[in-house]
Amino acid sequence: MSVRQSLLALLEQGPMYGYQLRAEFEQRTGATWPLNVGQVYTTLSRLERDGMVAVVDHGGVDDRTEADGEAGTQSESGGERGQVSYQITEAGRAEVAEWFSTPVPRTQPARDELAIKLAIAVTLPGVDIGRLIQQQRTATMSALQAHTRTKRAGRPGALVGEIQSATEDLAWSLVLDSLVFDAESEIRWLDHCEARLRRASHQTKTASSIQPEESR
Amino acid sequence: MTAVLHLDNVTRVHGEGATRVAALRGVSFTARPGELVAVMGPSGSGKSTLLNLAGGLDTPTSGSVLIEGVDLSGLDVAGRARVRRTSVGYVFQDYNLIPALTAAENVALPRELDGDSRKEAREKAMIALERVGIAEVADRFPDEMSGGQQQRVAIARSVVGERRLILADEPTGALDTETGEEVLRVLRDFCDAGAAGVLVTHEARHAGWADRVVFLRDGLVVDEAAASGAYGDPLEQGAL
Ligand SMILES: Nc1ncnc2c1ncn2[C@@H]1O[C@H](COP(=O)(O)OP(=O)(O)OP(=O)(O)O)[C@@H](O)[C@H]1O
Ligand SMILES: [Mg+2]
């Protein structure tokens, strides 16, 4: 999953605590895919198990990861007892490089629930599919409007004029654009479904349920 | 707040007998100051018909159209033309600029037709061009401007002289994604400054800029969407 690679990639900037990683992730993606702290630590411990990161605490490098030879002598002077930060290993860097150079697999269809719902609905008598499509379109349109409005308002906590902030703003707005384009494509698909169903119903003169005057 | 535009149970029938087409069948529609309303629907659903009625370019078969409280059916042709010049701005897909006039002259023209002196009209045109961010092309002719610049000139023309209702029919049609977005931003800014806007579009992404999205099907309003989440609090985490 992308959380693993995302956290790993963020660690290329330097060692970080778990809560820091979470903040860095959310600065870029907004509150779109909130990460809970538990998820961050579970992911980090798996990464550690797989030799992708090494644990650094104020005493030095954790025994378990010293074999990687990468963790070095970094120490965390400010770390509280029991608080550790994480440092990427060579193997971790390789995984990040691999991630950025490989396309995200798109064999798994994304909008499962809606496509399945429609596929089931068209085959069943008694489902008002015109209404189903219209209601979904309205809901998706509302979400699209909300994303657009969020984007116009700007990233929460953005600091005008700061370079670091400017690149994070860019990252954040690209994520919003992705939500906007997804919603748009879903609406286009719904329009397409509606047009196809209309044509089919004109041909068979049966499925009157998709006539708009009866869809309310 | 009183609506800038109000359509009350409007019907528009074209032709008779076998060629009879009911383009609108009892549509009620409102646009208030500060509001951008998008109209979406398949080809032939009545979007342009609605906009033409709203702009006084066409008259309803039944029902009424009110602009700033004035019922257009109570006005003669000259009266409607006056409302169009003073209250309503129209933005078309193909910009409709006059090729022999510069950007500033195109924008100034409606003011001159309305009786402003050439100088007054030019001053107002320059203010409008500044508001859409292209004062620097004021003295260029349309064929010396990009599509995005021409469309901004068209928007400036549609708002010059503080008109309160902007009607835009597919204003981003021929523009690329980025330029189209700029045009929407300009339109949105005018609405945020107090105008009412109606935007006809096929693109959901562009309708996303509106406060409300009205869906037309076969001459009827079938649904309406407004942004989900708490209005005025988009920064709240849940709004995403
Ligand atoms: N002057 C006219 N005479 C006869 N029929 C007309 C006239 N103007 C429009 N119509 C018909 O009225 C219906 C609505 O047309 P309208 O132009 O409003 O659609 P639209 O939603 O703007 O479509 P598009 O997305 O293709 O621009 C269509 O069936 C059209 O053929
Ligand atoms: Mg049209």
Side-chain angles (χ1 to χ4, degrees):
Chain A
M1 222 297 262
S2 60
V3 170
R4 173 184 165 104
Q5 285 92 343
S6 304
L7 298 188
L8 203 49
L10 288 171
L11 284 173
E12 282 207 320
Q13 297 183 114
M16 271 184 261
Y17 297 111
Y19 69 83
Q20 254 181 315
L21 267 172
R22 176 173 173 242
E24 294 281 326
F25 181 86
E26 290 192 352
Q27 251 152 38
R28 287 158 178 83
T29 59
T32 313
W33 300 289
L35 276 182
N36 64 47
V37 176
Q39 213 175 339
V40 171
Y41 284 106
T42 311
T43 306
L44 284 169
S45 64
R46 289 203 190 116
L47 284 168
E48 191 198 348
R49 178 197 67 199
D50 299 342
M52 300 295 155
V53 300
V55 168
V56 184
D57 63 24
H58 43 105
V61 179
D62 191 296
D63 287 342
R64 289 166 291 171
T65 54
E66 215 154 31
D68 289 311
E70 157 68 15
T73 55
Q74 169 100 28
S75 71
E76 279 303 331
S77 48
E80 290 166 22
R81 188 180 151 76
Q83 195 181 29
V84 293
S85 67
Y86 296 82
Q87 184 168 45
I88 194 165
T89 64
E90 274 310 317
R93 285 181 202 280
E95 179 161 327
V96 171
E98 170 80 13
W99 190 44
F100 285 130
S101 63
T102 315
V104 174
R106 285 297 187 219
T107 44
Q108 199 81 340
R111 269 185 299 277
D112 278 330
E113 184 181 347
L114 181 53
I116 290 168
K117 194 197 257 196
L118 256 167
I120 304 284
V122 277
T123 60
L124 296 179
V127 179
D128 186 344
I129 194 150
R131 188 182 164 84
L132 188 163
I133 289 173
Q134 183 55 48
Q135 284 181 337
Q136 184 64 50
R137 181 165 35 218
T138 300
T140 307
M141 190 69 228
S142 295
L144 199 164
Q145 287 172 276
H147 300 326
T148 308
R149 182 173 287 172
T150 304
K151 198 183 156 193
R152 275 202 295 134
R155 185 169 68 94
L159 300 166
V160 176
E162 280 201 5
I163 293 170
Q164 170 75 358
S165 192
T167 58
E168 281 164 8
D169 285 350
L170 178 63
W172 176 87
S173 75
L174 292 177
V175 169
L176 274 171
D177 284 342
S178 134
L179 301 180
V180 163
F181 279 95
D182 279 355
E184 180 189 38
S185 104
E186 184 167 290
I187 290 169
R188 289 183 60 188
W189 176 70
L190 288 164
D191 287 346
H192 166 81
C193 293
E194 184 178 71
R196 298 249 350 234
L197 287 159
R198 272 169 168 245
R199 217 176 311 136
S201 89
H202 285 314
Q203 280 160 6
T204 61
K205 305 257 185 228
T206 50
S208 64
S209 66
I210 65 160
Q211 298 301 320
E213 56 269 42
E214 286 155 47
S215 69
R216 301 214 78 176
Chain B
M1 231 180 318
T2 38
V4 180
L5 170 68
H6 183 65
L7 272 68
D8 186 27
N9 199 19
V10 164
T11 297
R12 178 66 172 103
V13 179
H14 294 290
E16 291 170 17
T19 62
R20 186 181 184 277
V21 179
L24 290 181
R25 302 187 286 158
V27 166
S28 294
F29 180 94
T30 299
R32 296 179 190 83
E35 194 176 44
L36 179 61
V37 187
V39 179
M40 294 193 78
S43 197
S45 57
K47 305 182 295 295
S48 296
T49 302
L50 187 152
L51 220 57
N52 290 339
L53 290 167
L57 298 172
D58 189 8
T59 48
T61 307
S62 68
S64 50
V65 178
L66 285 82
I67 292 178
E68 305 206 274
V70 176
D71 190 337
L72 296 188
S73 64
L75 303 175
D76 58 10
V77 174
R80 285 209 303 276
R82 212 190 63 79
V83 169
R84 278 207 303 277
R85 280 198 311 272
T86 56
S87 302
V88 186
Y90 230 101
V91 184
F92 303 89
Q93 174 168 358
D94 50 4
Y95 327 132
N96 272 20
L97 299 179
I98 297 171
L101 300 182
T102 64
E105 288 165 351
N106 265 286
V107 177
L109 188 61
R111 297 310 315 144
E112 285 190 55
L113 291 176
D114 204 42
D116 279 7
S117 73
R118 176 151 292 198
K119 186 165 168 292
E120 280 174 313
R122 163 96 191 177
E123 277 164 12
K124 288 176 185 168
M126 288 310 296
I127 291 169
L129 285 171
E130 247 156 60
R131 283 181 72 188
V132 301
I134 49 163
E136 72 277 9
V137 303
D139 296 316
R140 287 204 216 159
F141 292 93
D143 65 4
E144 298 167 342
M145 291 182 266
S146 72
Q149 288 171 330
Q150 291 185 58
Q151 192 57 297
R152 288 205 227 181
V153 173
I155 292 178
R157 181 185 56 188
S158 80
V159 296
V160 71
E162 303 301 317
R163 277 171 290 183
R164 310 256 300 132
L165 176 62
I166 311 170
L167 306 172
D169 199 344
E170 297 280 356
T172 53
L175 305 174
D176 66 35
T177 308
E178 285 268 304
T179 318
E181 195 134 300
E182 270 312 304
V183 165
L184 286 168
R185 197 178 292 278
V186 168
L187 205 57
R188 182 72 246 187
D189 285 347
F190 278 108
C191 293
D192 289 345
V198 183
L199 166 71
V200 164
T201 181
H202 276 113
E203 305 226 26
R205 192 157 30 86
H206 294 162
W209 286 72
D211 300 293
R212 291 189 287 124
V213 182
V214 168
F215 294 95
L216 278 185
R217 286 289 174 286
D218 298 335
L220 290 171
V221 173
V222 290
D223 212 345
E224 185 174 313
S228 53
Y231 184 84
D233 197 8
L235 303 186
E236 200 159 84
Q237 286 218 340
L240 265 174

